[in-house]
Amino acid sequence: MNVLPDVSTVFEIPEFLPQFVAGNRSRAIACGLDPYEYDRVTATDPDTLAEWPAAFRRVGEAYLRVGERCAAGGHEVSAGEAFRTAARWLHCATFPPAADHAGTIAAARAADAAMRRAFGYLDPGAVRIEGEGFAGRLRRPVDAALPPRVVVVAPGLNSGKEEFHAVDEALLRRGLAVFSFDGPGQGVLVDTAPRADYHRVVSRVIDALDARADLDTRGGVGLIGLSLGGFYALLTAAHEPRVAAVVAVSGPYRLDWPQLPLFVRETLTVRTGSPAAAEEFARESTSPASPTASRRPFGWSRAARTSPPAYCRPPT
């Protein structure tokens, strides 16, 4: 078992599990989980946060078996939907900063594989594109008369491309192509460390999209970032002139290590490999050389919260 630095502190906060369950409910529903099934699983299965990953993996694996049975019976739509639901549960298994990072890696890879199978039935035209530091899927609107404009979707600290299909579908319905991807430390690439120069990864993503004749990138691309991805989106927009429009959803403006919530610091500790590497990542991400910190003002959207749960509060 690949055990990384101890991150037990976050599990020791009184009443942490109920707050984590409540705090992640809307996120899980937005990811595509059935709210009643989420309530049932979180009420009856994990007794501690450490048991969350295994509980969610079990549900995901059950949906994989449903998908297999449907596929064997020739029920292609049902198979695709079951594999998609499996991917969502497997992805949600990666939410806590588990010290068993090997388990997180396995769940993320299983989610990626399940979603690949889902798209084989539900959107056969989806294209896998990979490059240095990224892996994602390009989806295009059905029956587009001309090559469509494209929007890139960047996930956050402990999220991945499997989480944002509602965003993808909303863009597709409006005639836009969408490329949702995992970058360093995210989703299927969770076995790699987050990078402070994430904007360079997005530039390589745009290079790959520019090279495709079935997309219209002449006027630039759109970029949506969620949570830490919102920070990455703003940073990329400051560096990359090919970003024509940017949306940052609930993203931070800077990463001030002493003020980061304990949950975020411990997640970064696991994803980067050590407390020192996590602190260095935060410092480099908001160094004076960063355009978001020194040269260019940005606006962003942040969800209001009147009483944040313990795991979301800065240390006192």
Side-chain angles (χ1 to χ4, degrees):
M1 182 173 64
N2 181 19
V3 178
L4 288 176
D6 176 58
V7 290
S8 61
T9 308
V10 76
F11 298 97
E12 296 168 0
I13 297 174
E15 302 300 319
F16 184 82
L17 178 61
Q19 292 189 24
F20 191 83
V21 167
N24 281 277
R25 188 176 188 272
S26 60
R27 177 183 177 186
I29 294 169
C31 181
L33 300 195
D34 179 270
Y36 300 102
E37 189 167 23
Y38 177 86
D39 291 344
R40 177 184 61 78
V41 171
T42 55
T44 61
D45 206 340
D47 292 323
T48 67
L49 188 63
E51 297 172 5
W52 172 294
F56 277 65
R57 283 199 304 267
R58 282 193 291 272
V59 180
E61 289 162 358
Y63 276 105
L64 285 176
R65 293 191 291 272
V66 172
E68 295 287 1
R69 290 197 299 271
C70 291
H75 307 296
E76 295 187 354
V77 173
S78 295
E81 291 180 349
F83 287 132
R84 182 175 59 191
T85 302
R88 290 165 170 169
W89 279 94
L90 291 165
H91 167 67
C92 291
T94 69
F95 284 3
D100 175 19
H101 197 45
T104 299
I105 293 169
R109 290 176 176 171
D112 177 76
M115 195 62 78
R116 185 189 300 228
R117 296 191 69 181
F119 280 135
Y121 294 106
L122 303 178
D123 189 356
V127 178
R128 177 84 164 201
I129 302 176
E130 300 181 2
E132 182 184 349
F134 71 90
R137 297 182 185 88
L138 173 66
R139 300 179 65 193
R140 290 155 296 189
V142 177
D143 299 328
L146 296 171
R149 303 292 295 275
V150 61
V151 177
V152 176
V153 180
L157 173 60
N158 65 340
S159 60
K161 62 188 181 303
E162 278 69 43
E163 191 164 341
F164 301 115
H165 290 281
V167 175
D168 295 355
E169 294 292 339
L171 295 168
L172 289 167
R173 287 194 300 270
R174 287 158 176 81
L176 296 165
V178 59
F179 182 70
S180 289
F181 75 100
D182 297 326
Q186 299 168 323
V188 74
L189 300 181
V190 71
D191 58 335
T192 64
R195 291 178 50 167
D197 62 345
Y198 193 96
H199 61 280
R200 300 185 188 278
V201 175
V202 182
S203 290
R204 289 194 288 273
V205 167
I206 298 173
D207 289 342
L209 299 176
D210 270 343
R212 298 188 62 89
D214 56 354
L215 297 175
D216 179 4
T217 59
R218 292 170 297 176
V221 306
L223 177 60
I224 297 176
L226 301 103
S227 191
L228 184 61
F231 175 85
Y232 289 148
L234 297 181
L235 184 65
T236 301
H239 281 283
E240 175 54 76
R242 292 175 293 178
V243 174
V246 61
V247 176
V249 181
S250 298
Y253 183 73
R254 59 184 294 114
L255 303 180
D256 187 356
W257 180 257
Q259 294 301 313
L260 289 178
L262 181 61
F263 173 79
V264 174
R265 288 193 294 166
E266 296 200 345
T267 300
L268 276 172
T269 295
V270 171
R271 301 277 167 122
T272 59
S274 72
E279 187 169 359
E280 182 181 6
F281 167 82
R283 183 173 60 253
E284 290 185 355
S285 295
T286 47
S287 69
S290 166
T292 58
S294 62
R295 292 205 305 269
R296 188 172 176 184
F298 291 97
W300 68 96
S301 169
R302 181 185 295 274
R305 187 187 289 271
T306 56
S307 180
Y311 72 90
C312 287
R313 296 180 193 138
T316 57

